[in-house]
Amino acid sequence: LGEYGKIIATLASKRDRLYPEELKPGLKYAEGAKKQVRVNAYERNPRARAACLKHHGYDCVVCGFNFESRYGPLGRQFIHVHHLKPLALTDGEYRLDAVADLRPVCPNCHAMLHRGAEVLSIEELRAKLVATAGRSADTPDAPRLPPTASARG
C-alpha cells in the first residue's frame, strides 16, 4: 500500500477508528488488495425473516423509510431484519419468535444500531433520531417516524 498505507496502518494501530480529518487530502489511495479474514458467520432462517416481514411490514421501525415508496419496483420488499438479541451474544443455535425477536430496519438504521461498542435498542436510536430531526439544512424531508410500540398496541 505504499507510504500512505504505512500512515494509515500507524494511525489505525493506535486506536479503534480512523477519522477522515486525519488523512491528508490529495494523496492517492490504494484499494483492492486481497486479504484473508476469518469470521464467524451465523445462519439466518429465511422463514423467520418472512414471518417477521409478514407481521411488521417493510417500513423501517426506526425511521419509517420504505424502499418501494422511494425507489418504486426496484425497492419492493427490500429491508434489513434486525435481531433484538444479537446473534453474537447467543450460545449457538437458538429458537426465536420471528414476530417478537426480529424487526425490519433500513440499512442506515441497522448500521447505526450496531455502530457503537454496545448495540443500541430501537427505542434508543429512535430517540437520537428525534433529538436531531430538523438540524440539517440539506435533509430534503423530515423523518416520518413510525409509531412507537406502545402507540401500536
Side-chain angles (χ1 to χ4, degrees):
L1 294 177
E3 192 60 35
Y4 190 66
K6 290 177 189 172
I7 293 169
I8 291 174
T10 301
L11 288 171
S13 70
K14 294 179 181 175
R15 60 187 159 299
D16 292 334
R17 295 186 193 269
L18 186 62
Y19 297 96
E21 62 272 9
E22 296 176 290
L23 306 176
K24 295 178 185 174
L27 293 175
K28 301 274 187 214
Y29 303 92
E31 288 192 328
K34 216 183 260 190
K35 68 178 183 176
Q36 196 169 37
V37 179
R38 183 178 172 174
V39 297
N40 291 326
Y42 298 94
E43 290 184 0
R44 306 305 205 276
N45 187 323
R47 292 187 312 227
R49 174 186 165 79
C52 165
L53 296 173
K54 182 177 180 181
H55 180 81
H56 294 290
Y58 288 84
D59 291 352
C60 175
V61 297
V62 177
C63 72
F65 189 83
N66 180 288
F67 281 88
E68 186 173 14
S69 295
R70 177 60 79 176
Y71 295 104
L74 177 65
R76 186 171 185 273
Q77 296 185 337
F78 182 84
I79 194 83
H80 284 193
V81 172
H82 174 67
H83 290 77
L84 298 179
K85 177 182 181 181
L87 287 177
L89 299 181
T90 64
D91 202 17
E93 185 175 323
Y94 79 105
R95 299 187 93 42
L96 64 80
D97 176 330
V99 172
D101 299 336
L102 302 175
R103 294 292 183 279
V105 294
C106 71
N108 283 349
C109 288
H110 204 192
M112 293 299 103
L113 286 167
H114 289 278
R115 176 125 196 238
E118 300 281 325
V119 176
L120 292 175
S121 72
I122 286 168
E123 294 75 18
E124 288 170 324
L125 184 58
R126 185 181 287 141
K128 289 179 184 301
L129 188 59
V130 168
T132 60
R135 286 193 189 168
S136 176
D138 60 357
T139 303
D141 302 311
R144 58 177 183 84
L145 299 177
T148 62
S150 59
R152 284 194 298 257

